[in-house]
Amino acid sequence: MAHQWRGVIREYFDRLPFNEGDPIITLGEGGTPLILAPALAKLLDVGQVHLKYEGMNPTGSFKDRGMTTAVSKAALHGAKAVIAASTGNTSAAAAAYAVAAGMQSVVLVPAGKISWGKLSQAVAHKAQILQVKGNFDDCLRLARELSQGYPVFLVNSVNPDRLQGQKTAAFEVFDALGYAPDLHAMPLGNAGNISAYHLGYKEEREIGRISQMPKLWGIQAAGAAPFITGSPVLKPETIATAIRIGNPASWDLAQAAKTETDGAFGSVTDKEILWMHRFLSQETGVFVEPSSATGAAGLYKAFLQGTLPKVENIVITVTGHGLKDPDWALKTEAGKKIKPKKVAALATSVAEILGLEKNK
């Protein structure tokens, strides 16, 4: 018999660092769909591809998984305020979960480097929003300093409680499929997500639910690709705002995820990201923000270059909903705005535009 999903802490309570009686701050996160994508499987010439659609979380991104655990721990420690540096999705999640916990949230965002869709969420949840004259890395440095010297609780992914919540996505993949995929790809920004999946799949192997871990692939935007260049990028630039990060906080954990799973890092251009963004919408029915298309774009690039491993089953995590950054869906590939055609309120007029002939 089906049951009401209770959020990742209650659903995986015995696999998370919580005790009976601890405060649980939840908005019902997790339980996101794993969507079969035959059009993408055909494009990549593999048996099956599933999309782990994290845009179906309460605030529209995978960040909610880690925020429920981070804010619950903040509540356990008696925190009255939480702080986060963000390119957008973390700010939305931090603000929403802080409201649910009865706390104040403070979010530091790079000035002019956040989509309005995400900023509007933080505003709606009454966050104290400060635009920092700098990039995400400057914001994270400030957030860390403030949490160490002032009475605010840091809820960025450098907080290990965040990874504990995010690892549950790996559990859900197995729960849905009954096995681990051969390869699991995702966008790569601050590197918390690939680190969390690595943690989750390792635990699945340790308890015997899987015998072999998936190859973990993290794909970056070419203008913000420190894992490809081998060193921090001082001025990261890409239209994929959620992964516009030049100095990832989870660098060592991500490197371990790649090495221990025989995985890979890759990068794709903004043009390649936008092409896949449109493909996912038009061919799979899954609408994501541009950065979320990066994982799939990286695999397609590898396929075209002949470097995609011969595997049968792939899972790709698409991290955020398309309504997070909808402007790109309203533009042609040439960058022109797409406008609906105007038509008279007559069936004949609509039929003419659609090229329909009247029934005989």
Side-chain angles (χ1 to χ4, degrees):
M1 182 177 177
H3 73 276
Q4 172 69 37
W5 184 264
R6 300 168 297 168
V8 299
I9 297 177
R10 290 192 177 95
E11 294 294 333
Y12 296 106
F13 190 83
D14 61 336
R15 303 186 66 179
L16 292 170
F18 286 87
N19 298 309
E20 292 292 343
D22 287 354
I24 295 177
I25 311 302
T26 181
L27 294 172
E29 62 294 316
T32 56
L34 194 64
I35 301 170
L36 192 63
L40 196 51
K42 183 178 180 181
L43 189 72
L44 299 176
D45 192 26
V46 298
Q48 283 191 335
V49 175
H50 287 85
L51 298 174
K52 183 59 171 164
Y53 192 18
E54 291 289 86
M56 297 303 287
N57 275 297
T59 75
S61 87
F62 77 97
K63 302 288 187 178
D64 294 347
R65 290 182 183 275
M67 207 54 70
T68 182
T69 45
V71 175
S72 293
K73 288 294 187 181
L76 179 64
H77 289 96
K80 302 300 181 186
V82 296
I83 188 168
S86 179
T87 53
N89 285 325
T90 299
S91 69
Y97 282 80
V99 166
M103 300 176 189
Q104 174 63 51
S105 61
V106 180
V107 296
L108 306 178
V109 300
K113 301 293 185 178
I114 178 175
S115 75
W116 287 108
K118 298 169 188 176
L119 187 61
S120 67
Q121 288 181 282
V123 170
H125 296 305
K126 64 177 184 180
Q128 177 70 46
I129 303 166
L130 300 174
Q131 296 195 62
V132 175
K133 296 177 181 178
N135 57 29
F136 170 82
D137 303 308
D138 297 313
C139 293
L140 183 54
R141 175 180 54 79
L142 281 172
R144 279 173 145 166
E145 289 176 7
L146 287 162
S147 68
Q148 291 165 1
Y150 299 86
V152 290
F153 198 90
L154 183 66
V155 291
N156 276 98
S157 58
V158 292
N159 179 334
D161 296 321
R162 281 277 304 278
L163 297 189
Q164 286 293 318
Q166 287 173 211
K167 75 181 182 183
T168 60
F171 303 163
E172 289 179 21
V173 170
F174 177 86
D175 289 343
L177 295 179
Y179 57 85
D182 301 316
L183 188 153
H184 192 143
M186 65 204 73
L188 185 59
N190 210 29
N193 214 17
I194 194 171
S195 304
Y197 273 104
H198 184 220
L199 177 61
Y201 281 124
K202 275 203 300 187
E203 291 187 11
E204 292 287 79
R205 185 180 61 183
E206 287 165 4
I207 66 173
R209 294 223 297 174
I210 64 174
S211 58
Q212 186 169 333
M213 293 167 60
K215 299 177 185 294
L216 293 178
W217 279 44
I219 311 298
Q220 300 202 284
F227 285 105
I228 303 303
T229 63
S231 59
V233 176
L234 297 180
K235 294 183 179 180
E237 283 299 335
T238 172
I239 55 92
T241 56
I243 55 173
R244 189 191 279 144
I245 296 168
N247 189 17
S250 298
W251 180 279
D252 291 342
L253 292 175
Q255 293 285 3
K258 169 180 172 283
T259 302
E260 293 176 18
T261 66
D262 191 26
F265 295 144
S267 68
V268 284
T269 65
D270 284 358
K271 184 177 180 181
E272 290 167 330
I273 291 170
L274 291 176
W275 186 91
M276 183 56 70
H277 171 257
R278 192 174 300 275
F279 179 90
L280 292 175
S281 297
Q282 297 183 351
E283 302 298 331
T284 74
V286 177
F287 182 32
V288 300
E289 61 174 313
S291 58
S292 296
T294 309
L299 293 189
Y300 184 46
K301 183 173 185 176
F303 169 73
L304 293 176
Q305 294 176 339
T307 56
L308 184 66
K310 296 295 183 182
V311 295
E312 183 64 21
N313 297 291
I314 292 176
V315 168
I316 304 171
T317 294
V318 286
T319 45
H321 200 285
L323 292 177
K324 290 279 189 174
D325 198 356
D327 289 353
W328 297 103
L330 299 173
K331 295 178 181 178
T332 66
E333 291 183 10
K336 293 184 178 180
K337 284 189 176 181
I338 296 174
K339 296 180 180 179
K341 291 181 179 179
K342 292 183 178 180
V343 62
L346 299 169
T348 52
S349 298
V350 174
E352 183 179 353
I353 289 175
L354 297 178
L356 301 175
E357 294 185 3
K358 196 167 186 178
N359 295 333
K360 294 181 181 179

